[in-house]
Amino acid sequence: QVQLVESGGGLVQAGGSLRLSCAASGSIFSINVMAWYRQAPGNERELVATTVTAGATNYADSVKGRFTISRDNAKNTVFLQMDSLKPEDTGVYYCHVVARVMRASPAYSYWGQGTQVTVSS
């Protein structure tokens, strides 16, 4: 089984920055994709940013130019650098990993517990 440990959330003023991290551990053969989602109260969970093993990245239009996703493949860790934060960025941020635990196994989705990000105005 794969375990995801998230950290880095907190309370910041508008215009500030936060850096989230998510470390995957367990019996991991390979990680195909790592991504960040977020969910605000009353809203559906939405994709914020994603990166594949080769390094290609994609961002939601609402965060493009302000957020940067990166990964440390050697440590099975993904980061989300969030700059120029806005109150509408407030929500619970979830790490998502698609990984295989064995060579012949299919890839499965794994989710972190979420970390709260609050941006005050």
Side-chain angles (χ1 to χ4, degrees):
Q1 190 62 248
V2 176
Q3 181 181 1
L4 305 179
V5 179
E6 304 173 4
S7 63
L11 173 64
V12 298
Q13 291 184 327
S17 298
L18 285 174
R19 182 175 174 85
L20 307 182
S21 65
C22 173
S25 62
S27 182
I28 301 173
F29 177 75
S30 65
I31 296 178
N32 296 347
V33 60
M34 305 185 84
W36 289 96
Y37 288 73
R38 70 185 180 189
Q39 186 169 19
N43 294 343
E44 295 182 346
R45 188 173 299 184
E46 63 177 348
L47 178 64
V48 176
T50 182
T51 181
V52 297
T53 303
T57 59
N58 287 284
Y59 298 90
D61 289 340
S62 60
V63 306
K64 195 168 186 177
R66 300 186 298 117
F67 291 10
T68 303
I69 187 170
S70 61
R71 62 194 294 173
D72 184 340
N73 290 328
K75 297 183 178 181
N76 291 329
T77 301
V78 63
F79 305 92
L80 185 67
Q81 178 67 43
M82 304 184 293
D83 298 321
S84 301
L85 283 163
K86 304 175 181 179
E88 50 262 46
D89 294 319
T90 293
V92 179
Y93 284 68
Y94 297 90
C95 177
H96 175 233
V97 171
V98 178
R100 290 187 292 158
V101 297
M102 297 180 66
R103 291 172 291 276
S105 299
Y108 292 99
S109 292
Y110 301 90
W111 292 90
Q113 294 297 315
T115 183
Q116 177 69 42
V117 172
T118 303
V119 184
S120 64
S121 60

